[in-house]
């Protein structure tokens, strides 16, 4: 595996890899877990070469968020990626991505606004900006993102369509299903912040979500089911619930009742000082 930190070195490496066929990109912020490695394996299955980026992107963190505390473990991550057969690691410094004078932002209206967007102002503009830059830098044929960040995936798909990222174009952005721990908790780099006690309690989140989907499908009105879900989380040790919504899977518009098309149950809740998000598919009515 080749590791590069500058744009000229990246271009040279990418030009070499592309000769072998399709190049896949897996964008990450590092602190790699099995969820990331599943993206890498899927990328390897579908492309001739795989590039992974590791960049803790400052523009997607709010002023009171965990940018400084975010786990950084480049050497351990690089070893994991090499063992997975990754061809190229793109690990730029902040100044390489945002040189002095950087003044451009990509914001995606609509799909960025609700859910996490309402609680983390500017977050999705930071994500869309850095992903647009990564697409321009690496020029991949395919890109892989985890479905755990469902709203992020929707924002990136919209951005890619709107800005004519033909490589990868919208249909070649792949969402990969969430990888879960044995007790159902979605894998996340932020799980490392949880105390042992909070980690044990955190499994209440996927359990409560599954129960909610079952009651909605059994005919309970959606607002009542969502209220019970919030109550169950607070009683289960969560400090607060930012949102619990049933939404259209693509547009992310909140729904008050089941609809014919694909839906998602999406939740963000805080336990200890950590904000966890999760989402699950809800089959059509
Ligand atoms: O999901 C992430 O790790 C980040 O939001 C991403 C897509 C790498 C952009 O910084």
């Amino acid at each position: 595996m080749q590791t590069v930190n500058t744009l000229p070195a990246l271009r040279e490496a990418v030009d070499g890899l592309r000769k072998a066929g399709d190049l896949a990109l897996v964008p990450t912020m590092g602190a790699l877990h099995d969820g990331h490695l599943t993206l890498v394996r899927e990328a390897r299955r579908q492309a001739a070469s795989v590039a992974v980026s590791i960049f803790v992107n400052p523009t997607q963190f709010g002023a009171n968020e965990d940018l400084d505390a975010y786990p950084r473990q480049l050497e351990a991550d690089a070893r994991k990626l090499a063992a997975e057969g990754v061809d190229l690691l793109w690990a730029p410094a902040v100044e390489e991505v945002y040189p002095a004078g950087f003044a451009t932002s990509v914001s995606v209206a609509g799909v960025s606004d609700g859910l996490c967007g309402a609680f983390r102002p500017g977050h999705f503009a930071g994500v869309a900006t850095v992903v647009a830059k990564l697409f321009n830098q690496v020029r991949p044929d395919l890109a892989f993102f985890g479905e755990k960040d469902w709203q992020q995936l929707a924002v990136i798909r919209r951005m890619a369509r709107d800005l004519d990222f033909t490589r990868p174009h919208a249909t070649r952005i792949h969402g990969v299903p969430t990888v879960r721990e044995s007790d159902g908790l979605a894998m996340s780099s932020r799980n490392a912040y949880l105390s042992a006690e909070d980690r044990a309690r955190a499994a209440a989140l996927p359990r409560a979500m599954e129960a909610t989907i079952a009651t909605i499908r059994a005919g309970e009105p959606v607002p009542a089911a969502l209220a019970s879900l919030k109550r169950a989380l607070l009683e289960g040790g969560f400090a607060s619930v930012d949102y619990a919504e049933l939404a259209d899977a693509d547009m992310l518009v909140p729904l008050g009742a089941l609809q014919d098309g694909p839906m998602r149950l999406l939740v963000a809740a805080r336990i200890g000082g950590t904000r966890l998000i999760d989402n699950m598919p809800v089959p059509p009515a």
Side-chain angles (χ1 to χ4, degrees):
M1 183 178 77
Q2 193 183 350
T3 300
V4 294
N5 317 103
T6 65
L7 282 167
L10 175 70
R11 286 277 145 77
E12 204 181 314
V14 159
D15 288 348
L17 288 176
R18 191 161 291 109
K19 292 190 183 113
D22 276 356
L23 171 63
L25 173 65
V26 181
T28 82
M29 297 206 300
L32 302 178
H33 50 66
D34 273 356
H36 297 110
L37 301 183
T38 302
L39 301 181
V40 168
R41 287 172 202 145
E42 192 53 33
R44 279 205 62 192
R45 217 175 54 74
Q46 295 199 38
S49 322
V50 176
V52 174
S53 60
I54 295 185
F55 179 65
V56 182
N57 173 36
T59 66
Q60 68 188 77
F61 288 79
N64 303 319
E65 294 185 352
D66 55 346
L67 174 62
D68 291 338
Y70 200 84
R72 289 163 172 86
Q73 45 189 57
L74 189 60
E75 280 178 22
D77 287 345
R79 280 195 296 275
K80 288 182 190 173
L81 295 175
E84 292 293 333
V86 166
D87 300 280
L88 178 63
L89 171 56
W90 169 223
V94 173
E95 306 74 51
E96 190 74 7
V97 178
Y98 297 115
F102 186 87
T104 301
S105 173
V106 177
S107 73
V108 182
V111 78
S112 297
D113 296 341
L115 303 168
C116 283
F119 290 86
R120 302 184 69 189
H123 169 68
F124 287 118
V127 170
T129 303
V130 83
V131 173
K133 284 178 68 75
L134 289 168
F135 284 177
N136 278 329
Q137 291 164 352
V138 179
R139 282 173 282 131
D141 301 288
L142 307 85
F144 291 80
F145 297 88
E147 287 187 356
K148 162 149 182 303
D149 296 295
W150 186 265
Q151 188 174 15
Q152 166 173 286
L153 185 55
V155 168
I156 291 167
R157 286 191 202 278
R158 184 74 260 163
M159 182 274 292
R161 271 185 228 126
D162 290 355
L163 297 186
D164 304 317
F165 280 103
T166 51
R167 284 160 51 106
H169 53 71
T171 56
R172 302 200 76 192
I173 291 173
H174 295 268
V176 177
T178 303
V179 180
R180 296 181 180 278
E181 305 283 359
S182 55
D183 63 0
L185 183 66
M187 286 192 185
S188 163
S189 305
R190 290 191 167 101
N191 292 352
Y193 299 154
L194 296 170
S195 68
E197 200 182 336
D198 286 339
R199 169 63 192 81
R201 288 178 175 156
L205 176 58
R207 271 202 307 273
M209 291 175 69
E210 274 166 8
T212 303
I213 292 169
T215 57
I216 290 174
R217 304 253 323 138
E220 170 146 23
V222 170
L226 296 177
S228 304
L229 169 55
K230 289 182 190 166
R231 236 182 356 261
L233 292 177
L234 296 175
E235 284 166 12
F238 279 77
S240 59
V241 180
D242 281 358
Y243 62 79
E245 296 281 7
L246 177 72
D248 175 85
D250 298 323
M251 304 307 295
L252 297 184
V253 178
L255 299 167
L258 289 175
Q259 66 172 13
D260 282 342
M263 291 164 284
R264 226 65 206 178
L265 177 66
L266 303 108
V267 179
R270 290 173 194 273
I271 187 159
T274 306
R275 185 175 188 273
L276 299 179
I277 59 170
D278 202 348
N279 72 88
M280 292 181 182
V282 179

